[in-house]
């Protein structure tokens, strides 16, 4: 016994809304509309289509067409892994120089505050050293071959643990622009006892700038990421 | 195989709703995970789809060879990769999240694949109930974010045999460095995800001390083809490092095996450590380098050296991969979280677990980095898929909003008939990765797969023999003076340096260990 109404898989849900983010909204709507049209064209019961004729509902060529339509409209995707940008440069937005995210402070005692972050491991003294901005496999290859210079504080925008996997232990400190103290990089920093600030907001830094990271600050409380009570460890640039 | 009855559907939906709430909580207590090395979010979405299409078929074969509750008994006695994060949470959650994706695309209705849903959750429930038998809960969340599956007889051996350490001594240094190296390597070997790591506990060790058990899996040649030739000097695939902390209260051990402590984790509070291995062929935990503190330190130092070199070797291999190879590897890491059930049952086949199904391959062009990130965010964080909304009067457990991450099975399947009951049992697929050519590393040496399966099929751990299987601590409480109880405890004590043959009557005051 079936209801005469359209099949449950294809009826818009009673309380539903559309996806909130643009690309899922665009792609998912496209797939839904295509699946509905394809099913209607079969003229048979849903149960005979859903798996037995699933490629009639949606195929590899359909997925390629959905992507092509987005690209033809001028849409370009954000990238996360550098391999994506390198292998399909025509599909991704080129990385733009990120504007300074932190309103840096006045110079006091030869230091200017240039950022804040969440301290992973509380130390008895701050850590000072030159920064190295790391985002590419080639840079890690270079450090693997030549070693990490003593005192280097890595600036990493990736909260994962694999990009810098073979060299993390060589850093005197880490400034991570994403994630939380529970991220993979936060976990590894704790295990390796590498002074680390996660979830950082910083002013523009360039390779060789000497910074001091306030790893004497208290780590975020257990509910900090739910309450927004984060960013208590300070980062200073040593001027002159 | 599925029992489609009102009772089975009630149980299915109850478990599904618990997973929905718990998974939402786990997701919102983290940020979206991205990596500059791996296209993580695209591979995660593909892995969920692969799990949806393949897992029911895989589990039915395993369940027929070794029932899920027996697999739970096996996993409870040792540390295996079918653990809290892989099997207890990941396996059912990945399956159901794949179902959500297909439902959102209009390629699946909530009643479709109902037999698969019932079977997967029934298997998972039976496994979890047996795995957690000693604490009596289904999940860590249900137990207030605790995980205490080990029996007293095992914990007594740990307490008595672990070696005491103080910060700065050779073993303390060796242990903390090895744990760091293992963590690093496990993230890399698992394509940036955490399923090669596992933590359980805490267990009360008296005198303001607590034990957590830290596990590291898939360390050398085994199922992952990219580990062929990597870390081959390491004699074992899995290592377990029990660590006793002083003055530290582990107040959270969640279903992703993350822990929180008050005060926070500090290696200087480590009071005792040990090292063991276990796999589908071990009769309980097997001590590794545990003869004395110097031997253990030496063993840990040598393993750390091997893994340090292996991290560089593996990183270079992976850094040379194409985007598709990275995506396939990551997707297969996630969609194979239940593969060690097949090893326990002796039914493992490489292509079953390390191919991306043809039905999944068709979705690859959608999986650019942005779609992967945002679609995952919609599905598990914002719960923004249209069909994830519920009646406007409802208030979800953690968000307070009218939404559920996972969609229930409509009871109308008991009377209506326009649904397809199963995704089918035919598996075909492919992978862009180099095929596996190496051996499988086990506690019985490096084996060819057929030999590994043959040994697994013929092996039953002593504690799972019919005369012992149902002797839990409610029974021990009143029978600890019996020969049967002594025999059960002596199984765990066989390889103990300090407790061999001591039997079932011991209390903490009787132990002379350093732990």
């Amino acid at each position: 016994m079936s209801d005469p109404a359209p099949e449950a898989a294809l009826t818009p849900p009673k309380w539903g809304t559309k996806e909130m983010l643009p690309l899922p909204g665009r792609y998912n709507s496209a797939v839904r509309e295509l699946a509905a049209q394809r099913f209607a064209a079969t003229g048979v019961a849903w149960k005979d289509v859903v798996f037995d004729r699933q490629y009639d509902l949606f195929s590899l060529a359909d997925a390629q067409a959905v992507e092509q339509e987005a690209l033809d409209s001028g849409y370009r995707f954000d990238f996360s892994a550098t391999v994506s940008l390198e292998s399909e440069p025509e599909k991704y937005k080129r990385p733009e120089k990120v504007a300074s995210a932190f309103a840096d402070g006045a110079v006091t005692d030869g230091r200017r505050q240039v950022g804040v972050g969440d301290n992973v491991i509380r130390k008895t003294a701050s850590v000072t050293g030159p920064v190295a901005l790391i985002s590419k496999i080639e840079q890690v290859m270079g450090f693997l071959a030549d070693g990490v210079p003593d005192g280097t504080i890595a600036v990493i925008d990736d909260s994962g643990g694999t990009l810098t996997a073979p060299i993390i232990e060589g850093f005197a400190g880490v400034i991570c622009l994403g994630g939380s103290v529970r991220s993979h990089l936060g976990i590894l920093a704790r295990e390796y006892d590498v002074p680390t600030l996660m979830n950082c907001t910083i002013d523009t830094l360039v390779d060789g700038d000497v910074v001091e990271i306030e790893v004497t600050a208290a780590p975020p409380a257990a509910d900090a990421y739910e309450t927004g009570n984060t960013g208590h460890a300070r980062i200073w640039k040593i001027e002159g | 195989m599925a029992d489609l009855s009102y009772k089975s559907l009630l149980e299915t939906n109850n478990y599904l709703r618990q997973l929905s709430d718990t998974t939402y909580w786990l997701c919102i207590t983290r940020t979206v995970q991205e990596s500059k090395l791996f296209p993580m979010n695209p591979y995660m979405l593909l892995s969920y789809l692969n799990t949806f299409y393949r897992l029911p078929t895989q589990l039915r074969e395993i369940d027929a060879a070794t029932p899920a509750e027996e697999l739970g008994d096996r996993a409870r006695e040792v540390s295996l990769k079918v653990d809290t994060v892989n099997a207890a949470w990941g396996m059912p959650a990945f399956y159901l999240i794949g179902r959500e994706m297909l439902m959102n695309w209009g390629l699946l209705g909530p009643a479709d694949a109902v037999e698969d849903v019932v079977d997967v959750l029934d298997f998972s429930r039976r496994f979890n109930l047996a795995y957690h038998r000693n604490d009596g809960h289904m999940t860590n969340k249900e137990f207030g974010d605790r995980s205490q599956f080990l029996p007293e007889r095992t914990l007594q051996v740990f307490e008595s045999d672990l070696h005491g350490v103080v910060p700065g001594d050779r073993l303390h240094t060796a242990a903390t460095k090895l744990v760091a190296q293992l963590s690093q390597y496990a993230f890399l070997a698992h394509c940036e995800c955490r399923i090669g790591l596992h933590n359980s506990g805490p267990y009360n060790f008296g005198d303001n001390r607590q034990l957590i058990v830290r596990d590291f899996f898939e360390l050398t040649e085994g199922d992952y083809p990219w580990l062929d030739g990597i870390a081959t000097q390491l004699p074992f695939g899995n290592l377990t490092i029990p660590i006793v902390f002083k003055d530290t209260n582990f107040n959270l051990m969640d279903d992703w095996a993350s822990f929180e402590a008050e005060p926070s984790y500090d290696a200087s509070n480590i009071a005792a450590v040990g090292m063991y291995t276990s796999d589908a062929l071990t009769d309980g935990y097997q001590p590794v380098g545990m003869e004395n503190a110097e031997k253990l330190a030496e063993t840990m130092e040598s393993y750390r050296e091997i893994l340090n070199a292996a991290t560089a070797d593996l990183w270079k291999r992976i850094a040379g991969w194409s985007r598709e190879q990275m995506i396939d590897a990551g997707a297969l890491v996630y969609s194979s979280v239940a593969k060690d059930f097949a090893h326990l049952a002796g039914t493992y086949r490489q292509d079953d677990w390390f191919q991306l199904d043809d039905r999944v391959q068709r979705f690859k062009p959608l999986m650019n980095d942005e779609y992967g990130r945002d679609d995952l965010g919609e599905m598990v964080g914002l719960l923004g898929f249209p069909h994830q909304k519920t009646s406007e009067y409802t208030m979800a457990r953690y968000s307070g909003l009218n939404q559920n991450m996972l969609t229930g099975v409509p009871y109308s399947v008991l009377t209506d008939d326009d649904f397809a009951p199963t995704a089918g049992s035919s598996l075909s697929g492919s992978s862009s990765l180099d095929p596996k050519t190496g051996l499988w590393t086990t506690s019985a040496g490096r084996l060819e797969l057929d030999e590994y399966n043959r040994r697994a099929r013929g092996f039953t751990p002593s504690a799972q023999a019919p005369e012992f299987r149902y002797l839990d601590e409610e029974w021990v409480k009143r029978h600890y003076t019996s020969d049967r109880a002594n025999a059960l405890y002596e199984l765990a004590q066989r390889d103990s340096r300090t407790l061999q043959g001591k039997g079932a009557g011991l209390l903490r005051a009787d132990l002379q260990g350093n732990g």
Side-chain angles (χ1 to χ4, degrees), chain B residues 143-446:
Chain B
F143 188 22
D145 291 307
R146 287 178 180 274
S147 171
Q148 297 172 359
F149 57 81
L150 292 172
E152 181 196 46
R153 52 193 147 85
T154 302
L155 294 164
Q156 284 189 335
V157 170
F158 282 170
E159 178 164 3
S160 199
D161 284 358
L162 298 187
H163 295 288
V165 294
V166 293
D169 73 21
R170 184 182 177 190
L171 181 54
H172 185 279
T173 303
T176 53
K177 283 181 177 288
L178 178 62
V179 167
Q181 187 71 57
L182 283 162
S183 303
Q184 179 72 280
Y185 179 80
F187 278 125
L188 185 63
H190 291 77
C191 305
E192 186 66 64
C193 72
R194 65 175 65 201
I195 62 174
L197 312 170
H198 184 248
N199 298 292
S200 60
Y203 296 97
N204 180 15
F205 262 40
D207 298 331
N208 206 25
R209 297 172 309 160
Q210 293 182 5
L211 168 80
I212 60 170
V213 181
R214 309 203 62 182
D215 306 302
F216 303 90
F217 304 113
E218 212 90 33
L219 300 173
T220 179
E221 284 188 342
D223 302 329
Y224 292 167
W226 51 91
L227 294 187
D228 283 352
I230 300 287
T232 50
Q233 300 136 291
L234 205 66
F236 307 111
N238 303 332
L239 289 174
T240 292
I241 302 185
I243 303 181
V244 178
F245 283 79
K246 63 181 172 67
D247 305 327
T248 306
N249 179 34
F250 288 88
N251 49 22
L252 179 144
M253 186 72 71
D254 69 22
D255 289 281
W256 285 356
S258 288
F259 57 75
E260 300 274 352
E262 179 58 39
S264 58
Y265 179 99
D266 183 344
S268 67
N269 285 328
I270 294 176
V273 299
M275 186 156 67
Y276 296 84
T277 191
S278 54
D279 60 32
L281 302 181
T282 61
D283 205 347
Y285 286 100
Q286 307 296 300
V288 177
M290 287 288 287
E291 295 90 330
N292 55 59
E294 282 297 298
K295 177 69 176 171
L296 183 57
E298 180 188 324
T299 308
M300 287 180 158
E301 287 164 359
S302 71
Y303 286 7
R304 195 226 174 202
E305 278 183 31
I306 294 167
L307 289 164
N308 190 38
T311 301
D313 291 345
L314 181 57
W315 190 89
K316 288 175 190 169
R317 178 177 290 181
I318 289 171
W321 280 354
S322 67
R323 181 175 193 267
E324 183 167 27
Q325 286 175 308
M326 289 194 181
I327 284 182
D328 282 1
L332 293 169
V333 160
Y334 258 33
S335 65
S336 67
V337 290
K339 68 181 175 57
D340 280 23
F341 284 134
H343 281 307
L344 283 169
T347 63
Y348 183 86
R349 287 183 298 272
Q350 186 71 9
D351 283 354
D352 285 1
W353 298 94
F354 284 87
Q355 287 189 342
L356 218 56
D357 201 278
D358 289 338
R359 292 166 287 186
V360 177
Q361 298 279 6
R362 64 186 156 145
F363 297 107
K364 265 186 178 169
L366 301 177
M367 300 298 166
N368 61 72
D369 290 6
E370 179 181 336
Y371 178 75
R373 177 193 70 195
D374 289 355
D375 202 54
L376 186 64
E378 288 276 5
M379 179 167 52
V380 305
L382 298 171
L383 306 193
F385 284 177
H387 74 274
Q388 289 179 313
K389 297 294 182 281
T390 62
S391 149
E392 293 161 295
Y393 297 101
T394 58
M395 301 168 68
R397 180 172 180 187
Y398 294 107
S399 71
L401 301 174
N402 62 321
Q403 57 191 23
N404 286 311
M405 182 187 295
L406 304 175
T407 302
V409 176
Y411 294 94
S412 58
V413 294
L414 296 171
T415 52
D416 294 350
D417 66 359
D418 192 14
F419 62 89
T422 173
S425 58
S426 175
L427 308 183
S428 66
S430 58
S431 160
S432 61
L433 296 162
D434 292 339
K436 175 164 177 59
T437 56
L439 297 174
W440 273 261
T441 307
T442 77
S443 55
R446 289 177 188 269

Side-chain angles (χ1 to χ4, degrees), chain A residues 40-232:
Chain A
T42 66
V44 298
W46 173 255
K47 64 182 175 184
D48 297 324
V49 176
V50 58
F51 293 124
D52 290 346
R53 297 176 62 177
Q54 55 197 320
Y55 294 100
D56 292 343
L57 289 179
F58 194 77
S59 66
L60 179 67
D62 293 327
Q64 288 166 337
V66 169
E67 182 192 47
Q68 196 58 50
E69 188 179 6
L71 292 171
D72 287 347
S73 74
Y75 199 94
R76 294 295 178 269
F77 312 122
D78 294 337
F79 79 101
S80 58
T82 53
V83 69
S84 302
L85 184 65
E86 287 164 5
S87 64
E88 299 175 313
E90 71 284 1
K91 295 182 182 176
Y92 289 90
K93 294 173 197 160
R94 302 298 304 176
E96 293 175 8
K97 188 173 175 57
V98 178
S100 171
F102 184 81
D104 52 339
V107 176
T108 308
D109 298 332
R111 305 182 307 176
R112 182 194 300 273
Q113 190 182 348
V114 294
V116 293
D118 298 342
N119 189 20
V120 177
I121 323 156
R122 195 168 197 171
K123 297 289 183 184
T124 55
S126 294
V127 172
T128 302
V131 298
L133 280 57
I134 299 172
S135 62
K136 293 184 176 175
I137 287 169
E138 294 72 28
Q139 293 172 290
V140 179
M141 282 285 193
F143 283 124
L144 253 181
D146 304 333
V148 179
D150 285 347
T152 299
I153 294 177
V155 179
I156 304 170
D157 58 1
D158 166 13
S159 59
T162 52
L163 177 68
T164 52
I167 55 171
I168 187 173
E169 199 177 4
F171 298 134
V174 171
I175 295 170
C176 180
L177 305 185
S180 72
V181 296
R182 296 175 195 163
S183 297
H184 296 175
L185 189 61
I187 292 169
L188 292 171
R190 188 169 62 182
E191 302 282 13
Y192 276 106
D193 199 28
V194 174
T196 294
L197 305 184
M198 300 292 294
N199 188 34
C200 294
T201 305
I202 61 168
D203 190 11
T204 303
L205 292 172
V206 298
D207 283 340
D209 282 347
V210 177
V211 300
E212 179 181 338
I213 56 176
E214 190 182 37
V215 288
T216 53
D223 63 351
Y225 293 102
E226 291 152 64
T227 61
N229 187 19
T230 58
H232 297 300

